[in-house]
Amino acid sequence: MNQFTELIRQISCFTLLMLLFQTCNEDRTKEFGLAGGTKGRWEWVSTTTPTHTYTPQSVGYTKQLQLSSDLQGAYIAYYRNDTLQYRFEESSKDTLHTFVDITRNTVTIKYKGAGFIKYSSINLQGAVFSMTVSEPLNPYSILADTIHSVYKSTNKDLYPY
């Protein structure tokens, strides 16, 4: 009987979550990119720290992000000059691994081995999307969340994936 009760509880929670997302302001979730808008390739524009701002021109290299999924699940991959530096899979086995704050336009996701990464300020500028991404935070804290990188969407192929 406990398994049946647990199944009913899980179905109820899923139904409530679906209703919650359906009642959200659809224009706002599209503007923020909650409907899969972050998936794809992203080219680095700048990184801001408490004391400095870095750009590809100031450091002499490029960086890219790829947000995608494969047989291992959803992941984020970091590239420097088209060479894979890091790849982290979403920690989807955790009960709480994705936190959405529509009032602040942020999504925070837990990744295996990296901690939490916060996505914010997803905007459409002409035909190009841009977004702000935190550095991996393990553990997450608001005080530690001080380094943010801006990326713009791109069609450029990223290697080796």
Side-chain angles (χ1 to χ4, degrees):
M1 197 67 174
N2 282 341
Q3 289 179 337
F4 179 73
T5 305
E6 180 64 19
L7 178 64
I8 296 298
R9 188 186 70 76
Q10 289 177 354
I11 291 172
S12 298
C13 287
F14 178 75
T15 304
L16 285 172
L17 284 173
M18 295 308 295
L19 287 171
L20 175 66
F21 282 117
Q22 287 177 352
T23 58
C24 289
N25 181 336
E26 190 170 321
D27 292 334
R28 185 153 182 167
T29 57
K30 283 182 182 177
E31 170 189 326
F32 182 57
L34 295 177
T38 59
K39 203 169 193 179
R41 299 175 187 101
W42 297 85
E43 197 168 1
W44 179 51
V45 175
S46 65
T47 297
T48 304
T49 71
T51 60
H52 202 280
T53 298
Y54 300 94
T55 65
Q57 297 79 15
S58 70
V59 296
Y61 57 83
T62 63
K63 295 193 309 184
Q64 304 85 27
L65 276 183
Q66 180 156 0
L67 296 160
S68 192
S69 60
D70 58 17
L71 294 176
Q72 296 175 346
Y75 67 86
I76 183 171
Y78 291 85
Y79 295 82
R80 180 174 168 174
N81 291 336
D82 294 327
T83 301
L84 179 65
Q85 300 294 302
Y86 307 103
R87 177 188 156 130
F88 302 113
E89 282 83 23
E90 267 189 44
S91 186
S92 59
K93 292 181 181 172
D94 291 348
T95 305
L96 297 173
H97 79 284
T98 302
F99 303 91
V100 177
D101 186 341
I102 293 180
T103 60
R104 292 188 178 149
N105 286 344
T106 64
V107 174
T108 305
I109 300 174
K110 185 176 183 185
Y111 291 89
K112 296 177 198 168
F116 292 90
I117 297 175
K118 183 171 73 175
Y119 302 89
S120 60
S121 304
I122 299 171
N123 299 308
L124 178 61
Q125 299 165 347
V128 178
F129 280 95
S130 69
M131 72 172 166
T132 303
V133 180
S134 75
E135 288 296 303
L137 301 162
N138 194 8
Y140 178 80
S141 83
I142 292 174
L143 294 175
D145 187 15
T146 60
I147 301 173
H148 302 100
S149 296
V150 176
Y151 291 87
K152 66 179 180 178
S153 60
T154 182
N155 291 326
K156 179 180 174 188
D157 286 334
L158 299 178
Y159 298 99
Y161 293 96

